[in-house]
Amino acid sequence: MRVDKMSISLDPALGDAVRRAAQRDGSGLSAWLADAARAKLRAEALGAFLDAWEREHGALTAEELRSAEAELGLASEAPAR
């Protein structure tokens, strides 16, 4: 398999946290970071899709957001006071 080797720099505390997370996950550091990068790219793509959808159809309503949270099994946060 072809790979793209990179050198990255992290704040020491973040580097330690990433190493611990990879160890807890039972994966290597490179695999853990690749998974994190894929998740970030998916989140950005979803954000771009939703922005485009809302430009065309209008903002999602509170009810639509609650319905999506329920469908996805996400806990809705209580409103800030």
Side-chain angles (χ1 to χ4, degrees):
M1 174 173 82
R2 188 174 162 269
V3 297
D4 184 7
K5 288 194 172 229
M6 297 180 181
S7 174
I8 64 166
S9 298
L10 300 173
D11 173 90
L14 178 58
D16 289 343
V18 167
R19 284 182 195 89
R20 285 190 305 273
Q23 188 174 32
R24 280 192 309 272
D25 191 46
S27 63
L29 187 57
S30 291
W32 193 93
L33 287 168
D35 287 345
R38 275 190 287 280
K40 175 74 172 165
L41 291 170
R42 277 192 308 272
E44 288 178 356
L46 176 58
F49 170 81
L50 290 173
D51 288 344
W53 191 92
E54 285 187 324
R55 277 193 302 278
E56 185 174 338
H57 302 283
L60 294 165
T61 66
E63 179 56 36
E64 288 170 325
L65 292 173
R66 279 191 298 276
S67 176
E69 287 173 342
E71 183 83 18
L72 295 170
L74 302 174
S76 182
E77 293 182 21
R81 293 182 183 213

